Amino acid sequence: MDKSDASQSSEKMAWEAKHMPITVSISSNVPEYQAPKCFVSEGDPADLVDQMTKYLIDISCHSNRIHREEYCSIFWELDQHIEPLTPEEGTANKNDTGKKQRKYLERL
């Protein structure tokens, strides 16, 4: 605990100490990331949080790739139904897939 901020105390609030992260453990059920991983601070809490965040993003991206491959046929099928929508149906911006998807789902 870092007590250097104790001087910021006021009439309504008393700073006792600031919590500084020193370790983080991450477990995942995503293949290739199933072994628990521990990050230990070497004195810079921001660096620890950066390492943790980068690792979580790696897990997320890998999971996304797995699901995209696994459900490729479903994404393809949805694309076949989404693309035929016209601007008159409320999708003037061809790149706005969110509106196209909502419009398609409304048709179901």
Side-chain angles (χ1 to χ4, degrees), residues 7-22:
S7 63
Q8 294 183 9
S9 295
S10 69
E11 184 180 317
K12 295 184 179 184
M13 180 183 71
W15 283 84
E16 295 292 324
K18 184 190 318 182
H19 181 210
M20 305 294 284
I22 56 173

Side-chain angles (χ1 to χ4, degrees), residues 16-47:
E16 295 292 324
K18 184 190 318 182
H19 181 210
M20 305 294 284
I22 56 173
T23 64
V24 174
S25 295
I26 299 173
S27 294
S28 170
N29 64 349
V30 175
E32 297 182 32
Y33 289 90
Q34 293 173 320
K37 183 153 179 136
C38 183
F39 297 92
V40 179
S41 175
E42 295 180 8
D44 183 3
D47 184 50

Side-chain angles (χ1 to χ4, degrees), residues 3-96:
K3 297 185 183 248
S4 63
D5 284 336
S7 63
Q8 294 183 9
S9 295
S10 69
E11 184 180 317
K12 295 184 179 184
M13 180 183 71
W15 283 84
E16 295 292 324
K18 184 190 318 182
H19 181 210
M20 305 294 284
I22 56 173
T23 64
V24 174
S25 295
I26 299 173
S27 294
S28 170
N29 64 349
V30 175
E32 297 182 32
Y33 289 90
Q34 293 173 320
K37 183 153 179 136
C38 183
F39 297 92
V40 179
S41 175
E42 295 180 8
D44 183 3
D47 184 50
L48 174 71
V49 172
D50 286 345
Q51 290 178 41
M52 175 198 71
T53 303
K54 287 176 185 171
Y55 187 69
L56 290 171
I57 290 170
D58 288 345
I59 293 171
S60 178
C61 289
H62 187 72
S63 176
N64 187 355
R65 280 191 299 276
I66 290 171
H67 287 105
R68 286 236 171 251
E69 290 171 10
E70 184 175 346
Y71 300 109
C72 179
S73 62
I74 294 170
F75 288 120
W76 182 86
E77 184 69 30
L78 286 171
D79 286 343
Q80 299 310 302
H81 293 283
I82 291 170
E83 288 305 316
L85 298 179
T86 65
E88 294 80 34
E89 294 174 300
T91 58
N93 181 352
K94 188 174 182 175
N95 295 323
D96 189 354

